[in-house]
């Protein structure tokens, strides 16, 4: 079994807006978290793309990336991901070319095909209800790669190509990433049942490329680490309630642990939250270590990208500190 010390650790941040705070606070927290996780030795710091969610501030992904990259020195900064159907491929090529020009060797372009929002907002982003299918995504991805490679009459300026990753939560992206010889980032944190089949499909489909001679798997994992299992469970409560409200079509800011504990859950609500938290690795350092080692053993992952959704910034940073310590123990 691959030891945890041989697995790179990275960060995925959504700029969560805590209850009682605002987006400006959330964005400042993201930049500061990037500084601190760089200090702790994390390899990458990626930011997500979500829209029309009052609890998540990471909507303008490339703008946030530019601030994170400017505030750090060595950690790789990327998108987890750019939801390509929301954007003109030329704009993505130009924006990431510019980021790579300012921060050479430190930018990652993670690409996804989900809208990162509800259908109504996706249509508002795209200007129409078209370009929502898998075939459209393949065409857009090909167009984007063409701009980076300088093909055709239209060229991206500046034309600097960062490493391109495909993100996914299903077999479609796994197979596509493998066939194109690209690194693959799988969203284990919200599609845990599909993780092993998707990883196996990616490796079976992999064709060596100029970008990547061998398959490379990164798994996104929700992790909350605290001094005790009970403390971690307490801190995990808000993310469970926030996800419950999101599934109901009522997205909310990230609650406090007290708000989560005091919520009048029905029996069905409680089952949903428990099921959701069952895919989160949460607990004391020893408990989290076992969870991460099991995930690595089951999948052979090369890298784990951790997302930690807790209300207090001190608790969030402490979780990343404790997890970083596990790789040195």
């Amino acid at each position: 079994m691959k030891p945890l010390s041989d697995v790179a650790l990275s960060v995925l941040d959504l700029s969560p807006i805590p209850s009682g705070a605002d987006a400006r606070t959330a964005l400042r927290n993201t930049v500061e978290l990037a500084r601190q996780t760089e200090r702790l030795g994390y390899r990458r710091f990626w930011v997500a793309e979500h829209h029309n969610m009052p609890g998540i501030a990471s909507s303008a992904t490339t703008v946030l990336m530019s601030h994170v990259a400017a505030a750090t020195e060595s950690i790789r900064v990327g998108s987890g991901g750019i939801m390509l159907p929301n954007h003109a491929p030329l704009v993505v090529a130009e924006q990431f070319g510019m980021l790579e020009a300012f921060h050479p060797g430190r930018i990652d372009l993670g690409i996804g095909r989900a809208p990162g929002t509800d259908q109504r907002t996706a249509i508002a982003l795209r200007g129409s209800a078209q370009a929502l299918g898998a075939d459209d995504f393949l065409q857009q991805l090909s167009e984007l790669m063409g701009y980076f490679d300088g093909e055709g009459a239209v060229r991206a300026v500046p034309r600097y190509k960062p490493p391109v990753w495909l993100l996914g939560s299903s077999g479609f992206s796994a197979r596509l990433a493998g066939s194109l010889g690209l690194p693959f980032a799988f969203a284990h944190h919200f599609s845990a049942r599909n993780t092993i089949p998707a990883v196996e499909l990616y490796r079976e489909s992999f064709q060596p490329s100029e970008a990547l001679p061998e398959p490379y798997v990164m798994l996104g994992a929700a992790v909350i680490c605290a001094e005790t299992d009970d403390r971690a469970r307490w801190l995990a409560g808000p993310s469970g309630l926030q996800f419950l409200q999101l599934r109901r079509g009522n997205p909310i800011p990230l609650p406090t642990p007290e708000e989560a504990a005091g919520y009048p859950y029905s029996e069905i609500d409680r089952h949903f939250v428990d099921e959701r938290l069952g895919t989160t690795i949460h607990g004391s350092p020893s408990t989290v270590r076992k969870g991460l080692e099991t995930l690595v053993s089951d999948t052979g992952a090369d890298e784990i990208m951790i997302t930690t959704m807790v209300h207090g910034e001190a608790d969030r940073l402490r979780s990343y500190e404790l997890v970083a310590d596990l790789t040195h123990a």
Side-chain angles (χ1 to χ4, degrees), residues 25-42:
T25 299
L27 294 169
R28 284 200 300 260
N29 288 343
T30 287
V31 174
E32 182 57 28
L33 183 65
R35 291 193 187 103
Q36 295 303 324
T37 51
E38 178 180 64
R39 173 182 61 82
L40 293 169
Y42 284 84

Side-chain angles (χ1 to χ4, degrees), residues 1-9 188 196 219 221 223 281-282 284-304 306 323 325-329:
M1 184 179 74
K2 184 186 299 185
L4 195 57
S5 58
D6 287 351
V7 178
L9 294 180
H188 171 78
I196 292 176
L219 299 181
V223 178
I281 300 173
H282 62 282
S284 66
S286 61
T287 300
V288 168
R289 171 185 285 279
K290 291 176 184 176
L292 291 174
E293 287 177 340
T294 297
L295 182 59
V296 171
S297 175
D298 289 345
T299 63
D302 301 288
E303 190 166 345
I304 303 293
I306 294 170
V323 173
D325 288 343
L326 296 179
T327 63
H328 303 134

Side-chain angles (χ1 to χ4, degrees), residues 2-257:
K2 184 186 299 185
L4 195 57
S5 58
D6 287 351
V7 178
L9 294 180
S10 293
V11 179
L12 173 65
D13 193 47
L14 282 65
S15 291
I17 303 175
S19 173
D22 56 18
R24 182 176 286 112
T25 299
L27 294 169
R28 284 200 300 260
N29 288 343
T30 287
V31 174
E32 182 57 28
L33 183 65
R35 291 193 187 103
Q36 295 303 324
T37 51
E38 178 180 64
R39 173 182 61 82
L40 293 169
Y42 284 84
R43 176 174 292 181
R44 306 176 207 275
F45 192 96
W46 284 11
V47 293
E49 177 186 344
H50 290 286
H51 304 275
N52 196 30
M53 293 186 182
I56 296 176
S58 59
S59 55
T61 313
T62 54
V63 176
L64 183 53
M65 283 178 60
S66 69
H67 283 269
V68 169
T72 54
E73 296 179 358
S74 59
I75 197 168
R76 297 193 64 91
V77 179
S79 56
I82 289 292
M83 300 306 162
L84 188 56
N86 294 346
H87 310 276
L90 177 59
V91 173
V92 176
E94 290 176 337
Q95 290 177 344
F96 275 81
M98 188 166 291
L99 284 168
E100 181 69 19
F102 276 119
H103 308 283
R106 291 185 55 211
I107 301 300
D108 294 322
L109 171 52
I111 298 173
R113 100 183 146 98
T117 187
D118 59 273
Q119 285 293 93
R120 182 177 298 178
T121 306
I123 292 171
L125 284 163
R126 301 167 187 187
S128 75
Q130 298 180 359
L132 296 174
D135 290 340
D136 298 301
F137 176 74
L138 292 173
Q139 180 179 343
Q140 292 161 339
L141 182 61
S142 177
E143 184 180 343
L144 173 64
M145 294 301 207
Y147 291 133
F148 279 132
D149 295 337
E151 300 172 356
V154 179
R155 299 182 180 182
V157 181
R159 184 166 62 86
Y160 297 103
K161 183 181 179 181
V164 175
W165 293 65
L166 278 193
L167 281 58
S169 58
S170 69
F172 173 87
S173 296
R175 188 186 299 275
L176 181 59
S179 67
L180 295 176
L182 295 175
F184 181 49
F186 186 82
H188 171 78
H189 53 300
F190 62 78
S191 190
R193 292 179 182 176
N194 292 332
T195 301
I196 292 176
V199 168
E200 290 177 348
L201 182 58
Y202 166 66
R203 292 196 175 108
E204 291 168 1
S205 306
F206 187 82
Q207 298 293 322
S209 67
E210 184 178 337
L212 194 66
E214 297 179 347
Y216 191 93
V217 173
M218 178 163 65
L219 299 181
V223 178
I224 298 174
C225 194
E227 275 70 14
T228 66
D229 288 346
D230 287 344
R231 175 67 178 171
R233 174 73 189 196
W234 171 255
L235 295 175
S239 65
L241 176 56
Q242 188 183 45
F243 197 72
L244 172 66
Q245 296 290 43
L246 176 63
R247 280 301 175 91
R248 288 175 167 171
N250 180 39
I252 60 172
L254 188 62
T256 65

